[in-house]
Amino acid sequence: MPQLVPLHASKPQQPQWAIVFFALLLGFAVLAYAQGWSGSWHLDDTSNLNGLTQVFAQGPIQFDAALEFVFSGNAGPLGRPIALASFLLDGSAWPHEPRALLYTNSLLHIINALLLWAVLFNLSRIQGWSQGKSAWLATLAAGLWVLLPLSVSGVLMAVQRMAVLSSTFMLLGLWWYLLARQRLGQKSVRPWLGMVVGLGVGTLLGTLSKEQAAIFPTLVWVLEKCWLPRPLFTQSSQQRLWQAFKALCFYLPTLLIGAYLFRIVLSSEGAYSAREFDLGQRLWSQAVILWDYLRLAFLPRAVAFGPFHDDYIIYDSRSGLAWLALAAWLLAAVLAWALRAKTRLPLLALLWFIVAHAIESSVVPLELYFEHRNYLALAVPLYALVVSAWQWAERRSQTQSVPAWRILRLGFTAYALMLGGVLWQTASLFGQVPVAAQMWYEQHPRSIRAAQFFAGQLVDHNSIPNALRVLDSTAQLRPLSGTLELQGLQLACVLNHEQAELQARFQQTLRTLPEALQRFSVVQTLDKLNSLHKNERCGGFIQQEHLLQLAQAALENSRISVVAQERSNLHIFMANLFIESKQLEPTIEHLLAALEAMPSIQNLQIIAYVLDSAGLASEITNILQDHPPHWPRNPWLRERMQREWQHLQTLAAQPPLQTTL
């Protein structure tokens, strides 16, 4: 990276140079992220993007399949249809090559940096600062933000476009809001409409990309309380309108978010039943994790970043570190509050960071740690840091005791070079999949996901014995992993290990599955074991009864069975086993259990066709009456499901077929 500012220059003022330097930073960011476009699929990519296979099955986009893909998402309570729709732009690359999707993600990241620049420029201008100062502040803060290595996992993991695109709409909405906010004193309704539109764009479109954007009105309220000057009105009616606006646009959404979080607290026992930690442990852990995020954001190390953090230590009230982290947060809050009369920057940075984490890093029973949760949370703290440094330079330059502006330029240049170097290393690691898999595993030897990913890479390179050793090693560190033992049994079968070893692995898996703390890849591994069974691999060791026992052991695990989709999948798996052996009664028993877990049209179709093939079409009517599907709210999906429902009713009315089961 070139030196950005001549060291002999005085206070930076020309906005055009700020724009040039920002363009250089963006160009470097593009080059750095390009190193990671040769990366891989990760985590939730398959579960969220697999529908693209049908969308592009015949080359061009299939309209009906595209609509179903967009409106049938289950990554969040709202389905995230806007984010899913964005994958239609480059989804033809699925599942062969993630490059196109990662390229689009990187482009969105650059667009977000431009929007952040516009937001920060307006945050400065609304303070009455000059265009030159405002442009440089925006360049320094947005430039550092776009270079943050902590954002790499959000950009270079395909499905995390949901978080990136959600931030796009929030930044766009905030920019729109600030433009209108600067004209608020005018005798016109247009500024009010502009502010409402900005909040609507940021909240509605952002939330339909990822639900984190529901916190957007509260973030804007933080800016209003801590940074934006109080609007001056010449008429009392405008003042009353302002109070009503705040009540509807800030207070009410914040209360709704608070009520949603409080509801989770009240039902925490059930909400956390699928997790290896409870609500209290999550909150104590987050007190530590939030400091970890800040440490890695401002003092990054390339080896510290990656997709896999399921090995993070779970803290509770007995942990001294957790108490220290909580005390540090309380001290930071007290200091920020005490300094508010002198400067509001610490309070602004603290509140923005905490509020931005209020959904994903509080009581919602999500996994403990993901780097992409900081994507927008660090934007305003960086701005506060840059403004503080600028104000320091302004004060020191008046005394002429030190070359303050030279120190500022040197500091920014050195820090940007450091961030840029770590960003390049981190993105390059994401792009070198075999190297990354090994390094992430070495950095996280207790991570089940890191072990699975590394083992998968070894299998792809025909190094199955080494893959088995990786799984076994992590299984020893995580005695209740369950899924690692299951996958170890599968690989041992592929390697045709001796019957005695296979029997020992089978018994160990039966013991650990009911107590496993994680539920990663259970059904997928059972399917692979069934394929080995059908192909008469594994020396004939794996039989139907082994597969049934494994599936039943997984069902006995409360963390697995409490998830309706997992419970349904396991019963469908067992039903398929009985279909293969032509046993009707247990087949129907498990299909009904799957239907009880998930009264979906797909499960109804399966049981209807099984009954029809068994010559029991008359029973379909009773099944349809007793298990009506859950109709989706989306009108297109509901209309399509109703057509399929009518087809099933028609099937029930037809004469029975000759029995085939």
Side-chain angles (χ1 to χ4, degrees), residues 104 163 192 235 318 454 482 510 529 596 615 627 641:
T104 304
W192 297 98
Q235 298 178 354
R318 297 169 294 179
F454 185 31
L510 284 183
L529 281 168
E596 290 287 346
H627 300 85
M641 283 182 62

Side-chain angles (χ1 to χ4, degrees), residues 56 75 81 261 324 428 461 485 487 509 538 568 603:
F56 295 96
L261 298 177
L324 181 62
S428 298
H461 289 81
E485 284 89 349
Q487 290 175 313
T509 305
C538 204
S568 173
N603 283 350

Side-chain angles (χ1 to χ4, degrees), residues 47-74:
S47 60
N48 287 282
L49 303 181
N50 203 40
L52 290 170
T53 304
Q54 298 300 320
V55 175
F56 295 96
Q58 300 179 23
I61 292 179
Q62 303 299 302
F63 181 72
D64 284 349
L67 285 177
E68 183 168 355
F69 170 73
V70 169
F71 291 114
S72 61
N74 57 9

Side-chain angles (χ1 to χ4, degrees), residues 1 41 48 53 77 127 151 217 225 244 253 264 266 281 330 365 388 431 435 438 455 537 553 560 572 586:
M1 293 175 59
W41 307 110
N48 287 282
T53 304
Q127 292 289 334
S151 298
K225 295 295 292 184
I264 292 176
L266 293 179
Q281 290 172 321
L330 292 175
S388 297
V435 176
Q438 181 172 354
R537 299 283 300 276
I560 297 175
I572 292 291

Side-chain angles (χ1 to χ4, degrees), residues 75 165 230 290 349 367 422 459 465 470 480 483 552 554 556 579:
L165 188 60
R230 183 175 300 177
L290 292 177
E367 293 189 38
V422 178
V459 169
V470 166
L480 294 179
T483 54
Q552 189 59 47
E556 292 172 6
I579 289 175

Side-chain angles (χ1 to χ4, degrees), residues 110-133:
I110 299 304
I111 291 172
N112 285 349
L114 291 169
L115 288 171
L116 179 61
W117 190 97
V119 165
L120 299 182
F121 177 80
N122 280 278
L123 284 179
S124 298
R125 289 292 288 160
I126 210 168
Q127 292 289 334
W129 296 338
S130 68
Q131 282 193 351
K133 178 178 179 179

